[in-house]
Each structure stands twice: as C-alpha cells, then as structure tokens.
Amino acid sequence: MTELRLPPSLWAATATAAPPTAPLQADISVDVCVIGGGYAGLSTAIHLAKSGRSVQLLEAGDIGFGASGRSGGQVIPGIKYDPDQLETMFGPQAGRSAALAFGSTAAKVFELIDEFGIDCDDTRAGWVQPAHSKAAEAGALDRCRQWRALGADVAALSREEVAALLGTTRYHAGWIDRRGGSVQPLSYTRGLARAALGLGAAIATHTKASALESRSGRWVVATEAGPSVTAERVVVCTNAYTDGLWPRLSRTVIAANSFQVATAPLSGNLDKAVLKGGVVASDTRKLLSYFRRDREGRFIMGGRGTFAEPSGPDDFAHVERMIRIAYPILADQPIQYRWGGRVAITQDFLPHLHEPEKGLLFQLGCQGRGVGLQSKMGEWIADYVRTGDPAALPLPVTAIAPIPLHGLRRLYVSATLAYYKAVDLVH
C-alpha cells in the first residue's frame, strides 16, 4: 500500500504539529466507526465522543491529507444556493429552515476553536463577495438582502468600500458577511484531531478501509493493513477522496481540483493596502477567484484547476494570472508555494447524505465550502446517529444516484469550464 503523505504546501510548511497517531494495531469493537479524517469525520468523532459513544476513526493517510489540509481555509456560511432558492426548492418552511441551518456553519468552526483552544491562526473579520462586473452587482446585492432578511450580520458595500477593504479597484459593488473568516486549515484539522483524542475517540492513521460487511446487526470494517473494526454504526466522510469502498458511491460526485498559490510576505505599502483588517474574499465569477492573506502576510490566490494532479509550476499559471488581473500591484511578487487538492461537486450542488443500509451513513459534497459546512455536518450527523431522528439533519437522506455517464463527465465539465471562462470575460 502506498503511504498517503501530505504533499508540500504553504499549510504543510506552517501548520502546528500533528497529534501522535499510528495505524490500527488490532481488531477493535466500538459503537461507531468513522471513516475519513477531515473536517466532517473529525467533527463527527468529536460530537459522538461528547455524547458518550465509543468511536474509532480510520484515516487512509495523514490527518488532513485530503482537502481539509489543503483548502483555502476560508470560513464561509451557507452553501451554493441562496435562501430564496432553497425556499423554492424545498418549500417556504423547509427551505427557510435549511437556510438558517447552513447559515450557522461558520459559527460552528469558531465554536470548536474556542471550546478546544485550537491554535489555527483564525480570523473573524468577515468574508467579502465582490462583483467582478457591473452585471454581477445585482445578484451579489440581492444575496446580501436575502441573508439580511434572515437576521444575518451582513452589509452591502459600494464600489469604493470594496476597494478600501480589498485593496484593488478591479471590482464593483459587493457585500460583506461578518459571520465569516479564515483558519490555517491544516492546523485547524490537526486541532480537531487533538480534540477528538482528548475526548476519548481513537484515531488510526495510514489505515485504509477496504471493505464493509454487515454481520448479525453490526458492521465489520476491514482494512488493508489487516485489523478490523466492528461497530453498530459506520459513518463515511471521504468526500472528494471517495473510492470503491461502496458500490457506485464515487460516481455520485465529480472530484475537481482546486489550485492555490502563495506569494512571499507582502511588505511596506502593499502590506498596508491589500485585504486590510483580515477579511477574506471570493468573487462572483462562474469560475471564482478566492483570495486571502496568511499569518505572515502572504497573499494567497485560488481557483479551479485541471483534473490531473499538478506536475509543475506551469499547471498554476492560470492562478498566477488571476493575481495579476485582480491585483496588478502584486504582479511582480514572487510565488513561494503552489499546491492543490480535490473538491467534491455533486450534480445538484447540494451536500448529500445516503443511508443504503441500516447503520451505514455516507456524507459527501461540499462544493468548495467545506471548512464551515463539514464542521457543522459532523454535529448534525452525530445527533442523527444518537437519536435516529431525520429532523437532526439539514436535508433529507437520499438514495445513492450516480451521475449519468459519469465516465464522460470530465469531458463535459472541461467543456463547461471553458464556457464559463468565456462568460466571465464578457460579463
């Protein structure tokens, strides 16, 4: 078995130390086995352990090996759909409840940080969504209006206010959601692992789950290393790194790459002008740009990447070009780090919960908002496991439904990305 080690990145270079963990050494029996050591799996383990359940978490690689250790670290409330859209999709009452639930995701991150004293360079200055064009202004401002109607701490921003906050004049009006912020994502993930261990949950790293089998009302999770876990319930939180552990599951998502680059720390006038006050931002493009600063003052830009894993600096040229477009004043800044990770995208752009058999729950699909969404999802999942009440979940459990012609979806998505690039240029 190839060991899954964290690849080089800004986060790997600057994160707090990981808590000590090791591969599973012997067969074990617990109340719940959680598969996946990212935000969702660790949060699930934390909340189950707090309720008195015995928990064994299995992670195929290092803690934070997947997107949780490589994300942009932006803590953004909500999901892809706006409150009014959720009401249209699910009805006034259920849609409003879903919007309020998803609007609470960022707060969960900061609650966990405060409760367990997680050292992760968190900021809480808000998330800004600037309009990349005049045509995009109306949608951005309407989104702000919808969240304000639900009582969220948001505000519309004029073009001048956007420029003052972001330090660039390339954007139009926009809005700020003061519930948002940022974390050093790998430090946050390692902090969640440390919290789970402190509550009595067991964590086995470099222990890949290889098979799931129901025996006499309990589940047996086999591992490639040999030892197995027997549990009443199994929760699988592998998201964009989902493989063939369960039939058809991996074909319910598109695992798209998101690439990021980080400059050297900004200094002088640049340091004073760019992203003042610690806000983070992602714009209104179909292929959005998302950007922030880190603790040492580096400027970080992210955006969609190719489906193939990056093989060299040329694969990041489009992200570096995004810096020059959004921030011409940073055009000459040297790039210190380049890295990428996978994001799970569902066909309907909603997070998915599947329970194909009693006691077996799958959760996947974050659409790039995983820090907040998956942290809160762990609490919802734990409540559902504990009570069996579907009302504990933000959305209904659905059947596993592979994306039609999944094998051709990369070609389709690649064509869609090319189309969106053209749309962004003219709008």
Side-chain angles (χ1 to χ4, degrees), residues 88-413:
T88 299
M89 294 165 69
F90 298 107
Q93 184 172 348
R96 178 184 173 86
S97 294
L100 290 170
F102 291 124
S104 70
T105 58
K108 187 63 189 181
V109 174
F110 302 127
E111 175 188 318
L112 288 167
I113 291 170
D114 291 342
E115 181 176 0
F116 296 104
I118 297 174
D119 179 9
C120 60
D121 303 330
D122 58 299
T123 68
R124 309 183 189 191
W127 166 71
V128 174
Q129 186 180 48
H132 73 285
S133 68
K134 186 67 178 176
E137 279 188 31
L141 295 176
D142 187 57
R143 186 167 299 117
C144 177
R145 176 197 61 78
Q146 293 178 43
W147 281 112
R148 188 189 300 117
L150 290 179
D153 186 7
V154 301
L157 300 172
S158 67
R159 181 168 190 160
E160 293 73 23
E161 289 171 322
V162 167
L165 277 173
L166 302 188
T168 175
T169 59
R170 290 302 177 98
Y171 289 103
H172 295 254
W175 65 294
I176 183 170
D177 190 330
R178 298 189 183 93
R179 299 171 296 176
S182 69
V183 294
Q184 207 282 21
L186 183 55
S187 292
Y188 174 61
T189 306
R190 288 174 171 176
L192 292 178
R194 191 171 289 105
L197 290 167
L199 290 167
I203 296 177
T205 48
H206 297 280
T207 304
K208 182 177 175 60
S210 57
L212 298 169
E213 183 182 355
S214 179
R215 297 181 191 170
S216 304
R218 290 172 66 83
W219 285 92
V220 178
V221 183
T223 71
E224 287 189 352
S228 64
V229 181
T230 301
E232 294 179 7
R233 304 289 295 268
V234 175
V235 178
V236 181
C237 303
T238 46
N239 211 35
Y241 292 82
T242 297
D243 56 16
L245 183 62
W246 191 260
R248 308 188 304 156
L249 185 67
S250 65
R251 292 188 284 127
T252 65
V253 297
I254 296 296
N257 267 322
S258 189
F259 289 176
Q260 296 173 75
V261 301
T263 69
L266 304 184
S267 60
N269 292 333
L270 293 179
D271 180 54
K272 296 175 183 177
V274 175
L275 295 172
K276 290 190 299 186
V279 296
V280 301
S282 48
D283 64 26
T284 52
R285 287 182 170 88
K286 294 290 186 181
L287 297 180
L288 62 82
S289 304
Y290 56 96
F291 42 98
R292 57 169 289 191
R293 303 277 299 276
D294 79 339
R295 178 183 59 193
E296 284 78 28
R298 298 177 184 89
F299 181 86
I300 304 161
M301 174 67 80
R304 290 290 175 261
T306 61
F307 279 105
E309 295 298 315
S311 59
D314 289 348
D315 291 328
F316 296 86
H318 66 294
V319 182
E320 294 173 36
R321 184 167 58 251
M322 288 156 53
I323 294 179
R324 295 191 294 271
I325 291 171
Y327 283 86
I329 58 174
L330 300 182
D332 297 327
Q333 290 297 301
I335 301 299
Q336 280 193 339
Y337 297 94
R338 300 175 177 89
W339 72 99
R342 298 181 200 164
V343 176
I345 302 173
T346 59
Q347 188 172 27
D348 58 8
F349 300 107
L350 288 169
H352 285 186
L353 291 150
H354 307 301
E355 195 170 21
E357 295 187 25
K358 185 178 179 181
L360 178 62
L361 184 68
F362 297 99
Q363 189 277 316
L364 68 175
C366 62
Q367 280 67 237
R369 292 201 176 186
V371 183
L373 175 63
Q374 302 296 69
S375 296
K376 184 67 176 180
M377 190 65 75
E379 180 180 35
W380 289 324
I381 289 172
D383 285 346
Y384 177 64
V385 169
R386 181 175 54 83
T387 66
D389 184 1
L393 299 171
L395 293 174
V397 172
T398 59
I400 294 174
I403 296 171
L405 302 174
H406 186 272
L408 300 176
R409 291 294 285 186
R410 287 194 175 191
L411 294 175
Y412 168 75
V413 172

Side-chain angles (χ1 to χ4, degrees), residues 38-115:
Y39 305 133
L42 290 166
S43 178
T44 299
I46 286 170
H47 288 93
L48 285 170
K50 287 176 70 174
S51 70
R53 268 50 174 188
S54 58
V55 181
Q56 174 66 64
L57 184 145
L58 303 178
E59 165 55 46
D62 292 320
I63 288 294
F65 167 81
S68 296
R70 312 188 213 178
S71 77
Q74 294 197 12
V75 183
I76 306 172
I79 56 174
K80 177 180 174 61
Y81 294 105
D82 298 329
D84 287 359
Q85 291 174 305
L86 289 170
E87 289 194 20
T88 299
M89 294 165 69
F90 298 107
Q93 184 172 348
R96 178 184 173 86
S97 294
L100 290 170
F102 291 124
S104 70
T105 58
K108 187 63 189 181
V109 174
F110 302 127
E111 175 188 318
L112 288 167
I113 291 170
D114 291 342
E115 181 176 0

